[in-house]
Amino acid sequence: MNLILLGMPGAGKGTQAEIIQKDFGIANISTGAMMREVSRSDTDLARKVQNYISSGTLVPNDIIIEMLVQRVGERDCEKGFLLDGFPRNLGQGQALDSANVAIDLVLYLSISEEEIVNRMSGRRVHPASGRSYHILYNPPKVDGFDDVTQEPLIQREDDAPEVIKKRLDVYYDETEPLLDFYRNKNLQFIEIDAAQSLDKVTKSIRESIAN
Ligand code: AMP
């Protein structure tokens, strides 16, 4: 089972991806996490990537597509994989087709912009693992600290209000056209109301995958 999670930044894709990975034993591939990892090294590429992330714009396709296509060819993807944050534009969607990467199911986490701004401003992450919390909706056991390692949580720099706005603009311009791209394909496309509680969204996702 190869699946794609689509939806606005902040719709809950990362949180749900972690749960699905555990439940179904498939590889969880977050291109955002991959890019944050790349940005931490001391190279020209890292500095370029860091600039894209902090401004809320997309890393160019020639950098990201090759990395992703290589990643889905790795062994842990044999039983299936879940893409969180890829594809982000039509070029990336077409690149999956050209590389013969078969997709069985697209889950679209749909939500209003107002709710997104709410969620992103309350998001806190554990940088080393990518584990994500929300100060109200999904709080850690101890305020400000990761449940597993007890290390401090941070606010992502691209969750600052002006960067959130830019990321939403990029979503409407570049990512939203992928909804029709996948609706018109011969695969399962399921829309999930991502404004529901975290548990309800998980339940809807589990049912969609199991069916
Ligand atoms: P995310 O964690 O998915 O919100 O991604 C954080 C940032 O990483 C994005 O704002 C982009 O700068 C970059 N990024 C992640 N996935 C992609 C992608 N598929 N294409 C281009 N840039 C990406």
Side-chain angles (χ1 to χ4, degrees), residues 119-164:
R119 288 190 179 186
M120 281 169 128
S121 49
R123 173 153 70 178
R124 298 292 181 274
V125 294
H126 174 242
S129 67
R131 267 185 295 281
S132 172
Y133 301 85
H134 188 282
I135 50 175
L136 299 178
Y137 308 135
N138 179 28
K141 294 192 182 101
V142 180
D143 193 24
F145 294 91
D146 179 47
D147 286 352
V148 178
T149 63
Q150 282 77 49
E151 289 166 350
L153 302 177
I154 59 156
Q155 182 162 33
R156 271 170 54 169
E157 60 175 1
D158 57 347
D159 282 345
E162 61 286 1
V163 188
I164 292 178

Side-chain angles (χ1 to χ4, degrees), residues 7-9 11 56 58 88-90 108-117 120 163-180:
M8 283 187 193
L58 295 184
R88 256 330 207 271
N89 57 31
L90 286 174
Y108 165 43
L109 301 191
S110 117
I111 193 163
S112 72
E113 182 172 327
E114 197 185 354
E115 182 63 22
I116 287 291
V117 174
M120 281 169 128
V163 188
I164 292 178
K165 164 118 196 11
K166 177 68 194 165
R167 292 168 71 201
L168 287 172
D169 288 346
V170 169
Y171 173 81
Y172 291 124
D173 288 348
E174 301 207 39
T175 310
E176 208 173 47
L178 282 167
L179 299 179
D180 278 342

Side-chain angles (χ1 to χ4, degrees), residues 17-134:
E18 267 178 44
I19 301 172
I20 302 172
Q21 171 185 28
K22 286 193 200 121
D23 276 13
F24 292 90
I26 57 177
N28 171 8
I29 303 174
S30 154
T31 45
M34 282 166 80
M35 290 301 108
R36 283 186 285 279
E37 179 75 41
V38 168
S39 76
R40 280 197 276 271
S41 51
D42 185 20
T43 59
D44 280 349
L45 175 67
R47 282 180 280 278
K48 270 193 212 160
V49 167
Q50 175 55 30
N51 282 335
Y52 293 115
I53 295 176
S54 53
S55 62
T57 52
L58 295 184
V59 174
N61 282 358
D62 58 347
I63 297 179
I64 201 151
I65 287 173
E66 201 185 319
M67 267 185 219
L68 190 278
V69 170
Q70 196 177 347
R71 178 68 188 87
V72 296
E74 285 174 21
R75 264 202 87 171
D76 65 326
C77 295
E78 275 170 11
K79 277 202 280 175
F81 59 79
L82 174 169
L83 298 181
D84 158 21
F86 191 99
R88 256 330 207 271
N89 57 31
L90 286 174
Q92 295 179 8
Q94 286 154 353
L96 287 177
D97 291 345
S98 311
N100 292 320
V101 177
I103 301 298
D104 307 294
L105 171 64
V106 174
L107 294 173
Y108 165 43
L109 301 191
S110 117
I111 193 163
S112 72
E113 182 172 327
E114 197 185 354
E115 182 63 22
I116 287 291
V117 174
N118 232 336
R119 288 190 179 186
M120 281 169 128
S121 49
R123 173 153 70 178
R124 298 292 181 274
V125 294
H126 174 242
S129 67
R131 267 185 295 281
S132 172
Y133 301 85
H134 188 282

